[in-house]
Amino acid sequence: MQFIIRSIKGLVYSHIFISLMAALYYISGYQQTGGQAFWPTEAWLVMASTFIAYNFFRMFSAPVPTDDAREKEQWHLRWRGAIRGLCVLSLLLCLGLSYILFSWQAFLFLLHLGLISLCYNAPNNWPKVLQIRQYPFLKVFVVAYVWAMMAIGLPHFLHTGLEEAQRNLPILLGHFCFIVAITLPFDVKDWEEDEQQGLVTLPHRLGLKGLIALALFFLCLALFFLHVYSPWASSVTFLGAGLLIINTRKKWSEWFYTLGFDGTFLLYYLCLQILDK
């Protein structure tokens, strides 16, 4: 049991878990827009680029070792060499797959998503104007834009063509609303940390109940846009996400948010494969 717990922590702390969820979420969008492959090659590209986006700055710096460092920081201190090695391998994989798969239009499209992601994860020594996290009322929608465009926009550049973009606009809007709904609760997780930094976020303005209501509103919008295209997957996944949103509390640990809300990507993928085939 201890080995399983340590393995799960390693997957989460290293951001391998969220990188895998990104790949599965891309496949979900790819299949909804007409793709047929079980695991398209570019899913590896999405996984590798997500891993780089979350770990890029750890290649050049590491937490200062202190006795009272949090468990997550201590883990990164012990494994920073492995993380740097995986970042290098992921970068080589991205470059190789980009050369094989992409037109220059698709490359520029993914590049702008990557730059936004790097700015979102930028350290405190970057210029404030480039630190997207410092814009509390904007960052949720920036995250939703990047993930929705990765899942729905990228397949158009690689497979279906831009002429199909208008037909699939409701799918894009549905995924955007879904990401907004499951991202809003993360501000509750960061409530105290944001207060210490002087950031006024949506939970501070709306209160916990108001934030939950807003997240549920976006979740209902997502279901409105997507139920025609994937009725069972959308219904089951959004029901699970809705239960998580309703039970959002300040006291819950990081695992509730990471494994719970990020885990909805896995649930959505499985439901598409099993229920909506």
Side-chain angles (χ1 to χ4, degrees):
M1 180 60 70
Q2 290 297 322
F3 172 77
I4 295 176
I5 293 175
R6 287 197 300 268
S7 299
I8 292 174
K9 287 183 177 180
L11 290 174
V12 172
Y13 289 161
S14 65
H15 298 109
I16 292 176
F17 176 76
I18 188 60
S19 300
L20 176 59
M21 294 302 102
L24 294 179
Y25 192 53
Y26 169 79
I27 296 172
S28 299
Y30 159 81
Q31 292 179 347
Q32 280 187 310
T33 54
Q36 299 298 320
F38 175 74
W39 188 283
T41 305
E42 61 271 13
W44 293 107
L45 177 67
V46 170
M47 186 175 179
S49 59
T50 302
F51 183 83
I52 293 173
Y54 278 95
N55 290 287
F56 179 79
F57 295 104
R58 295 189 184 277
M59 293 178 65
F60 308 102
S61 62
V64 178
T66 59
D67 293 336
D68 60 348
R70 293 183 303 175
E71 180 185 26
K72 186 175 182 178
E73 294 169 342
Q74 293 174 346
W75 188 94
H76 278 286
L77 280 170
R78 290 194 303 268
W79 293 93
R80 63 179 181 269
I83 294 298
R84 288 172 177 171
L86 287 175
C87 280
V88 172
L89 290 176
S90 296
L91 181 60
L92 293 175
L93 180 62
C94 285
L95 292 175
L97 289 176
S98 297
Y99 178 78
I100 295 171
L101 294 172
F102 280 177
S103 63
W104 66 269
Q105 295 97 329
F107 176 78
L108 291 177
F109 175 79
L110 193 62
L111 179 63
H112 99 278
L113 296 181
L115 291 175
I116 293 174
S117 300
L118 287 177
C119 289
Y120 184 84
N121 293 289
N124 293 331
N125 58 0
W126 267 39
K128 291 289 185 181
V129 69
L130 296 178
Q131 297 181 37
I132 294 178
R133 287 180 179 271
Q134 299 297 320
Y135 302 90
F137 301 117
L138 177 65
K139 64 180 184 179
V140 171
F141 300 100
V142 171
V143 170
Y145 169 80
V146 171
W147 280 76
M149 293 302 289
M150 177 270 293
I152 306 301
L154 186 57
H156 284 295
F157 280 98
L158 297 178
H159 299 288
T160 59
L162 293 179
E163 63 276 2
E164 295 292 325
Q166 184 175 0
R167 182 178 66 84
N168 289 323
L169 181 60
I171 302 179
L172 175 63
L173 293 175
H175 281 276
F176 178 85
C177 292
F178 172 55
I179 299 299
V180 170
I182 65 172
T183 303
L184 282 169
F186 280 86
D187 275 345
V188 177
K189 174 180 74 70
D190 299 329
W191 194 314
E192 295 181 356
E193 183 178 340
D194 289 335
E195 281 184 339
Q196 294 173 358
Q197 296 179 6
L199 295 178
V200 179
T201 59
L202 285 172
H204 297 103
R205 288 291 178 86
L206 302 176
L208 180 59
K209 292 184 178 179
L211 184 95
I212 290 175
L214 182 62
L216 291 175
F217 169 74
F218 275 100
L219 196 64
C220 290
L221 282 179
L223 182 60
F224 170 78
F225 286 118
L226 292 175
H227 78 281
V228 174
Y229 302 91
S230 53
W232 285 105
S234 300
S235 299
V236 173
T237 304
F238 296 171
L239 175 61
L243 292 174
L244 290 173
I245 291 171
I246 291 171
N247 287 283
T248 299
R249 299 292 185 272
K250 289 172 62 177
K251 64 181 180 181
W252 297 141
S253 70
E254 182 178 355
W255 301 102
F256 170 81
Y257 296 93
T258 302
L259 296 179
F261 287 105
D262 291 343
T264 57
F265 297 133
L266 173 60
L267 178 60
Y268 194 65
Y269 169 80
L270 291 175
C271 288
L272 276 177
Q273 308 309 312
I274 298 171
L275 301 177
D276 282 325
K277 280 295 185 180

